Amino acid sequence: WILSIDYPTLNDVSIYVKNKFNKTDTVCYSGINNKINNKFLDDYSIYHNIKLEKGESYSIYIRIQTQSFIIVPAAISTIHDYLEKDKSRNRLVFLLYGLIVAVMILNFIFFIITREINYLLLGLFLISLLINSFYLFGYGIEIFPNLSPYMKTAMRQIIFSISSIIFLIFTINYLDLKKFKSIYNTFKYLIFFCIALIAVVVFKLIPLSVISKIAPVILLTGTIICFSFGIFSFKMKHKTSYYYLISFSTFLISFIVYTLVLFNFIVFNFFTLHII
């Protein structure tokens, strides 16, 4: 049997398997810290082989230490079922990566042809999303093995803030919000807040566990603000606002679903957890 804890960015995981006599049969250790210390960088998944005797009963205790505000799904399955599930997940993940890369390249081509800055901003935004997803899925452990365990976790918040800054600048330019002083100032405050968040994380002014709890709320709030100003621009009959609202509505829906999953308002599954 395989016990899989399907989230790769946990700091420390300890698993204890006890038999019917309450004696410990197996102890397993995993997580980012364990993988860094033992240089186990060949796989981003957290899984363990557990030997169980047929007809016997066992108790499994799992201790998790993390600085991420996340759901940690755990499952026990046969090797065949686990491999099939892992293949299906990888096919979906790589398909999504391929689509993002294709759109990113297309934006850069349009920028070279037209010299329109908004295409460049969208391309940079997609690059930052890709890098951020590397840390969300745990690939950042392999790509940058020399980073400290703290920074491996903190990079998600840092890159998230950089992505937000790029998207805020794009929104200002695309909707031509500079001519509305109060709205323009609001976006400048949001950009300043993102820069401050980077400084807070880098200099460890607030624990990551606290930042991780408020990050989904900040993300959702910023998304609603951008969408609201998109509606305002549409009412002002700005031509590009129509396309902005259509495209941005998918982000709004995904952020809402993602936040509801994190706060346990809707049922977790692979799609709802990774919709963002």
Side-chain angles (χ1 to χ4, degrees):
W1 296 90
I2 287 181
L3 169 65
S4 58
I5 302 176
D6 198 12
Y7 209 94
T9 53
L10 303 175
N11 292 75
D12 285 291
V13 180
S14 304
I15 301 171
Y16 306 89
V17 181
K18 293 190 175 184
N19 58 29
K20 61 182 179 180
F21 303 108
N22 204 31
K23 292 184 178 180
T24 302
D25 276 0
T26 307
V27 181
C28 304
Y29 300 100
S30 189
I32 292 176
N33 295 344
N34 184 64
K35 292 182 75 173
I36 292 173
N37 294 334
N38 293 285
K39 302 186 184 304
F40 295 148
L41 303 178
D42 56 332
D43 198 296
Y44 67 89
S45 300
I46 297 176
Y47 64 90
H48 301 281
N49 293 318
I50 296 178
K51 296 180 180 179
L52 303 178
E53 297 293 335
K54 188 175 182 179
E56 297 292 333
S57 60
Y58 294 86
S59 299
I60 298 177
Y61 300 89
I62 304 173
R63 181 181 181 274
I64 294 173
Q65 187 273 325
T66 181
Q67 293 176 311
S68 303
F69 184 57
I70 57 172
I71 293 174
V72 184
I76 296 178
S77 57
T78 63
I79 294 176
H80 177 267
D81 289 341
Y82 174 81
L83 292 176
E84 287 299 316
K85 177 185 175 183
D86 197 49
K87 287 179 182 178
S88 299
R89 178 182 60 186
N90 287 336
R91 280 195 292 266
L92 177 60
V93 170
F94 292 137
L95 172 63
L96 295 176
Y97 275 152
L99 291 173
I100 294 175
V101 170
V103 175
M104 179 185 68
I105 294 174
L106 191 62
N107 275 282
F108 284 135
I109 291 174
F110 285 154
F111 170 69
I112 293 172
I113 295 173
T114 65
R115 298 298 177 180
E116 172 58 51
I117 191 65
N118 288 322
Y119 288 122
L120 176 62
L121 290 172
L122 278 178
L124 294 175
F125 174 67
L126 291 173
I127 288 178
S128 64
L129 286 183
L130 279 175
I131 296 174
N132 197 35
S133 70
F134 287 152
Y135 284 95
L136 288 174
F137 285 105
Y139 297 115
I141 298 174
E142 285 79 12
I143 297 174
F144 303 105
N146 295 323
L147 286 178
S148 66
Y150 173 85
M151 286 304 297
K152 286 181 183 295
T153 304
M155 283 298 289
R156 283 172 291 160
Q157 304 298 343
I158 294 172
I159 299 172
F160 153 73
S161 298
I162 294 173
S163 301
S164 300
I165 292 171
I166 295 172
F167 190 80
L168 289 170
I169 296 173
F170 165 77
T171 301
I172 293 171
N173 287 331
Y174 192 71
L175 298 180
D176 195 19
L177 298 177
K178 288 184 179 180
K179 59 185 178 182
F180 304 105
K181 187 175 180 180
S182 59
I183 295 177
Y184 181 53
N185 287 335
T186 300
F187 274 84
K188 287 197 295 185
Y189 293 140
L190 289 173
I191 291 172
F192 175 79
F193 177 81
C194 291
I195 296 173
L197 183 59
I198 293 174
V200 167
V201 173
V202 170
F203 294 105
K204 303 180 182 180
L205 302 179
I206 299 176
L208 279 178
S209 56
V210 176
I211 296 174
S212 296
K213 289 180 180 179
I214 63 175
V217 178
I218 295 172
L219 179 62
L220 181 60
T221 303
T223 304
I224 293 174
I225 290 174
C226 289
F227 192 78
S228 300
F229 286 135
I231 295 175
F232 170 80
S233 181
F234 179 74
K235 289 183 176 180
M236 297 298 292
K237 298 182 179 181
H238 193 281
K239 294 180 180 180
T240 58
S241 60
Y242 176 76
Y243 305 103
Y244 180 88
L245 288 175
I246 291 176
S247 301
F248 199 72
S249 61
T250 59
F251 280 94
L252 181 63
I253 293 171
S254 68
F255 292 155
I256 291 173
V257 172
Y258 185 73
T259 305
L260 292 176
V261 170
L262 286 178
F263 287 100
N264 296 319
F265 288 111
I266 62 176
V267 178
F268 157 81
N269 57 46
F270 179 81
F271 176 74
T272 54
L273 182 61
H274 296 92
I275 188 172
I276 195 168

